[in-house]
Amino acid sequence: NLIHTDEDETVVSELQQQGLSITSVPAVGRQVLIQRNGNVSIDCTDEVHPDVDRLVSLAARVVGLDVAGVDVVAKDIGKPLKEQGAAVVEVNAGPGLLMHLNPAEGTPRHVGRAIVDHLFAPGDSGRIPVIGIAGSQDTHAIARLVAWLLQLGGRHVGLASQDGLFLNGRQVERGPCVRWEDGNRLLMNRTVEAVVIENDARLILKDGLAYDRCQVGVVTDLAGADQLSDDDIHSPEQMEKVLRTQVDVVLPDGAAVLNAADESLAAMGSLCDGRVVLYAENPDLPWLINHCEQGGLAVWLRQGGLVLVTGTTEVVCLDLASLGGKFLNFATNVQATLLAASATAWALGLSPELIAAGLRAFETGLSWHPAPRPSLLR
């Protein structure tokens, strides 16, 4: 007799079309179709021929997928496909995992663990560098400089700032782009390898940051309380409680970059889980000197040179006179802007030589290069 299953209507209908029923006895040698699609999962991982493994992996790579479900029609999965006239019939970008975790027959496979191990190296968090820049003093200029230096370092960089939305130096949207949505759009873009996001106190109060943690958090100043009275913010002390958010989210292996010209702002470094890099035009500030005497990092000016400081060791990165006057109309306080951008790039691991070359090569103007909106989302 035919194998008796639950009297599924689909199976019964299929048999009736062949002139049979559940109780029919097929003639010797006759093949009977029971079901047109196979929904029963039987694990055969250990039986897969190496040639089949190679070809299905190739099929996934050809269409650009890291994880895929590949459908193969074959008589024997333990033999090369070519020998049996078998073929790949589909590459699925959204494969299900349940069939592997709980097959009808065979050994369950921990495919989720294998996928994670494939996508991320040991110890890799899966994060890209996120740089958040908060405050009111030339934050748009600092953001553009940092994005430029990261791009020179070989990364595909996204930038959301008052100057617009940028992808690897191309301005893809004009006008202020400092909303939560703008930062989120960049973080959703799979081509972006580092993101620089300009923030301000109003954004933090209204929507919060577009990211949960960041590699570097920059705070330039505690000004602007007079513009936030509607949010019950009236003093620099209250602004400190708002802008400390940018420092609170720095990762343990990251850094806070703080303007040491304001002692209370420099003291915010105690809230950081990572390192602290202070910057100031004046290298003789007592709290800045104390920070460096304890082995801290700093960036300051000395005799016209931009100096990178580690404890008591100083490295002259750049003579600012070599930049000429190209930054004069780029920022309100050019020196502080260059210090903040250099400190951020240094905290991200860029070499002094690359920072110097990047500042010399930077173009302060903007050019409009619209890109199709789908490129921002995928």
Side-chain angles (χ1 to χ4, degrees):
N1 286 5
L2 291 172
I3 297 174
H4 193 283
T5 65
D6 294 335
E7 294 197 16
D8 184 281
E9 292 182 1
T10 303
V11 174
V12 172
S13 176
E14 192 66 57
L15 293 174
Q16 288 177 345
Q17 293 179 36
Q18 301 170 75
L20 300 170
S21 68
I22 289 292
T23 58
S24 296
V25 179
V28 175
R30 179 180 179 181
Q31 292 186 353
V32 178
L33 180 63
I34 302 294
Q35 198 170 332
R36 291 185 178 273
N37 62 318
N39 292 320
V40 178
S41 58
I42 300 174
D43 178 77
C44 58
T45 304
D46 297 332
E47 303 171 25
V48 177
H49 192 278
D51 182 66
V52 177
D53 185 355
R54 180 182 63 83
L55 286 176
V56 297
S57 298
L58 177 62
R61 291 196 299 271
V62 165
V63 296
L65 295 173
D66 294 311
V67 178
V70 182
D71 292 348
V72 176
V73 174
K75 292 181 179 179
D76 188 345
I77 201 68
K79 295 180 179 178
L81 299 183
K82 190 173 182 180
E83 291 183 6
Q84 53 183 316
V88 171
V89 295
E90 181 182 359
V91 179
N92 190 337
L97 305 184
L98 183 59
M99 67 184 75
H100 304 287
L101 299 172
N102 187 27
E105 295 182 24
T107 305
R109 307 288 175 171
H110 298 291
V111 289
R113 182 186 304 164
I115 289 172
V116 172
D117 291 343
H118 168 68
L119 294 177
F120 306 110
D124 189 347
S125 67
R127 292 178 178 272
I128 62 172
V130 174
I131 299 88
I133 302 172
S136 63
Q137 294 180 1
D138 296 319
T139 49
H140 69 292
I142 297 170
R144 279 190 56 201
L145 276 171
V146 171
W148 165 252
L149 293 171
L150 276 173
Q151 184 181 332
L152 288 184
R155 296 182 184 271
H156 189 93
V157 183
L159 166 63
S161 73
Q162 289 285 350
D163 291 331
L165 205 64
F166 297 79
L167 286 176
N168 225 35
R170 299 179 67 247
Q171 188 182 27
V172 296
E173 187 164 319
R174 291 174 174 174
C177 292
V178 290
R179 300 167 302 174
W180 184 92
E181 293 83 356
D182 298 311
N184 190 54
R185 286 166 64 186
L186 291 180
L187 293 171
M188 290 172 60
N189 190 320
R190 293 187 62 190
T191 67
V192 171
E193 298 171 327
V195 172
V196 182
I197 299 176
E198 181 187 354
N199 301 298
D200 58 32
R202 187 175 297 279
L203 169 69
I204 294 173
L205 287 168
K206 180 183 176 182
D207 298 321
L209 301 172
Y211 42 89
D212 63 335
R213 304 300 297 265
C214 67
Q215 191 67 26
V216 177
V218 183
V219 182
T220 62
D221 62 282
L222 300 176
D226 56 327
Q227 301 176 19
L228 297 173
S229 58
D230 292 344
D231 296 296
D232 201 26
I233 302 297
H234 306 284
S235 67
E237 291 75 21
Q238 290 176 304
M239 283 293 289
E240 182 179 347
K241 294 180 180 179
V242 177
L243 292 176
R244 65 165 285 175
T245 305
Q246 182 63 86
V247 177
D248 288 336
V249 299
V250 172
L251 290 162
D253 61 346
V257 175
L258 307 174
N259 187 351
D262 184 335
E263 184 178 5
S264 61
L265 176 51
M268 201 184 292
S270 63
L271 305 172
C272 181
D273 290 338
R275 296 167 295 146
V276 177
V277 183
L278 300 181
Y279 69 92
E281 299 171 66
N282 180 7
D284 298 321
L285 298 171
W287 51 89
L288 181 57
I289 294 174
N290 181 61
H291 171 73
C292 293
E293 287 178 346
Q294 297 180 31
L297 305 175
V299 179
W300 60 46
L301 295 180
R302 192 182 296 281
Q303 298 178 347
L306 191 154
V307 183
L308 308 180
V309 185
T310 304
T312 58
T313 303
E314 298 187 12
V315 175
V316 178
C317 175
L318 176 71
D319 182 359
L320 295 189
S322 66
L323 299 177
K326 71 175 181 177
F327 285 101
L328 289 178
N329 297 319
F330 180 65
T332 304
N333 187 329
V334 173
Q335 291 183 340
T337 297
L338 295 177
L339 288 170
S342 300
T344 304
W346 190 37
L348 289 164
L350 274 65
S351 68
E353 295 77 14
L354 180 59
I355 294 171
L359 294 179
R360 293 191 186 100
F362 182 73
E363 297 292 338
T364 59
L366 287 174
S367 55
W368 169 238
H369 298 291
R373 185 167 295 274
S375 69
L376 295 175
L377 302 177
R378 297 179 182 175

